Amino acid sequence: MQAALFDGKTLELTNYSLRKPAVDEVLIKVSACGVCGTDIKIIAGKSGATPPVVLGHEFCGIVEEVGDRVNSISTGDFVSVDPNIFCGECQYCRAGKVNLCENLTALGVDIDGGFAGYSIVPAKQCYPLPPKLPPQQAVLLEPLSCAIYGFQRAKIETGDAVVIFGAGIIGLIMLKLAKLSAVRQIIVVEPDKIRRESSLQNGADFVFDPQTAEYSAEINKITGGGGNAVIECVGSAKVVEQAYRLVKPGGRLVIFGVSPADRSWTVKPYDIFRKDISIVGSFLNPFTFKTAVELVCSGKIQLNDLDIKSFALRDIQKAFENQQRRNSLKTIIDMSI
Ligand SMILES: [Zn+2]
Ligand SMILES: [Zn+2]
């Protein structure tokens, strides 16, 4: 089969032979696999991986074969894959903090993933889906599950004002989650005009261009002193700083975006103390994949209106370019093309 293999330096399409699934694994014929910002970072050497490895961690497909000890999944099931595998034995797993697992591995990062005709995955990582759910939406369940955890970390309460920095795919998903909550105001800060417009279409009450001088004063005025929850979905220390300044006393700042590891920002501890502000991170998707599946299958979260561009596996380089240049909100590899 064809697979996009990362050898530690570059990503190349190669002919790859499949092994047999183990007793607790399933063989999936991949339907689609999303290209994530993390994939771009892995190839640029800015995010860890265990090469040689088939990349692609946001994928779905049809189960073609199941191992002898698999009961929960059957041949013919359409499934989405949670790529993050925890050990269940370390101190963090035992404390229920599985995203902090000391032996965490991920499909498409450390173990062969979904940019391939087929993928072998542990059955426990698979979530059966309705056969009618389009693969283009099923690949978004992984990013949605991560966003749900970030949203949970924001501890949104009824009547809150929520400020979201960045209206890429994650920012828009956060906006959709906020729309499901009884919040007072949803404010999106985003430099790109098209993305601001799509935020308004998705129900943002106000949108602001951070390149305008008066935007933070305006937000302070509208909200009465800042957001009760401010969620950074950009991945920039500079933007985290801007987001921090807009947290209302007693409020929460969620750092969701992945800032470069060597960047920092200056913060006055007195400020955090006096304003009683919580600053929290959000790493991966502990126990939120099922929620993601349920929200999409119940129709509460609609993913059919997002600007997604599909490429064939043979055009994976073009797909990566598309994702890197942010030509669309999301890029996926569609195995039916
Ligand atoms: Zn990802
Ligand atoms: Zn563990």
Side-chain angles (χ1 to χ4, degrees):
M1 65 162 186
Q2 287 283 96
L5 192 72
F6 175 60
D7 63 6
K9 286 196 177 96
T10 55
L11 186 71
E12 298 289 348
L13 266 188
T14 38
N15 262 324
Y16 203 65
S17 49
L18 269 178
R19 59 177 175 85
K20 287 291 277 179
V23 286
D24 56 352
E25 291 179 326
V26 303
L27 171 70
I28 293 173
K29 186 174 196 297
V30 178
S31 304
C33 184
V35 180
C36 175
T38 304
D39 296 317
I40 308 283
K41 284 182 187 150
I42 288 172
I43 292 177
K46 291 178 182 160
S47 189
T50 313
V53 65
V54 175
L55 293 189
H57 59 270
E58 302 173 354
F59 62 108
C60 63
I62 310 279
V63 176
E64 285 220 342
E65 212 179 308
V66 302
D68 286 346
R69 265 193 259 143
V70 175
N71 300 312
S72 56
I73 307 285
S74 310
T75 308
D77 282 355
F78 177 45
V79 297
S80 182
V81 178
D82 178 356
N84 303 309
I85 304 172
F86 54 87
C87 76
E89 293 173 22
C90 73
Q91 55 168 326
Y92 295 104
C93 283
R94 284 176 195 262
K97 298 180 190 308
V98 295
N99 56 325
L100 304 177
C101 174
E102 289 170 335
N103 308 304
L104 193 79
T105 52
L107 292 155
V109 180
D110 310 297
I111 307 165
D112 290 343
F115 291 139
Y118 291 85
S119 186
I120 291 171
V121 309
K124 68 181 172 74
Q125 303 302 121
C126 295
Y127 289 77
L129 303 171
K132 277 192 199 144
L133 187 74
Q136 293 81 355
Q137 292 176 40
V139 298
L140 297 174
L141 288 165
E142 196 271 342
L144 173 60
S145 69
C146 294
I148 289 170
Y149 180 58
F151 196 76
Q152 290 171 346
R153 298 282 282 157
K155 293 212 168 22
I156 307 280
E157 288 176 16
T158 306
D160 274 358
V162 180
V163 182
I164 298 165
F165 275 77
I169 187 90
I170 291 294
L172 275 187
I173 288 175
M174 291 291 186
L175 168 54
K176 285 170 184 280
L177 291 170
K179 279 297 283 183
L180 281 182
S181 317
V183 300
R184 171 168 50 107
Q185 291 161 327
I186 307 171
I187 296 157
V188 174
V189 183
E190 161 64 51
D192 184 271
K193 188 163 178 277
I194 295 168
R195 291 185 176 191
R196 282 201 303 276
E197 275 162 14
S198 90
S199 301
L200 286 171
Q201 280 158 16
N202 272 281
D205 298 297
F206 304 94
V207 292
F208 288 95
D209 181 353
Q211 296 165 110
T212 57
E214 67 283 5
Y215 88 95
S216 62
E218 283 288 319
I219 293 175
N220 271 320
K221 204 161 99 190
I222 295 166
T223 54
N228 304 95
V230 181
I231 309 174
E232 201 270 358
C233 308
V234 177
S236 149
K238 202 175 133 215
V239 178
V240 170
E241 181 162 13
Q242 293 168 349
Y244 168 72
R245 287 177 200 278
L246 278 169
V247 181
K248 191 170 189 164
R252 286 85 56 202
L253 170 65
V254 181
I255 300 179
F256 188 95
V258 188
S259 294
D262 57 351
R263 297 294 154 87
S264 53
W265 108 85
T266 307
V267 60
K268 290 183 193 139
Y270 179 81
D271 251 12
I272 300 175
F273 157 75
R274 184 61 185 84
K275 292 182 186 169
D276 199 356
I277 286 172
S278 305
I279 300 174
V280 298
S282 174
F283 183 58
L284 302 180
N285 56 353
F287 308 115
T288 51
F289 209 96
K290 185 164 167 278
T291 310
V293 172
E294 286 166 349
L295 284 177
V296 170
C297 292
S298 65
K300 293 283 181 191
I301 289 280
Q302 303 271 351
L303 299 172
N304 55 1
D305 55 354
L306 298 168
D307 169 30
I308 293 169
K309 194 157 169 31
S310 303
F311 291 83
L313 181 61
R314 63 181 170 278
D315 292 327
I316 192 150
Q317 306 294 358
K318 283 185 200 158
F320 271 60
E321 264 171 51
N322 187 73
Q323 174 72 19
Q324 202 161 13
R325 291 185 187 158
R326 297 168 195 249
N327 288 343
S328 57
L329 207 54
K330 182 77 187 171
T331 308
I332 67 163
I333 298 297
D334 184 339
M335 296 304 292
S336 69
I337 302 178

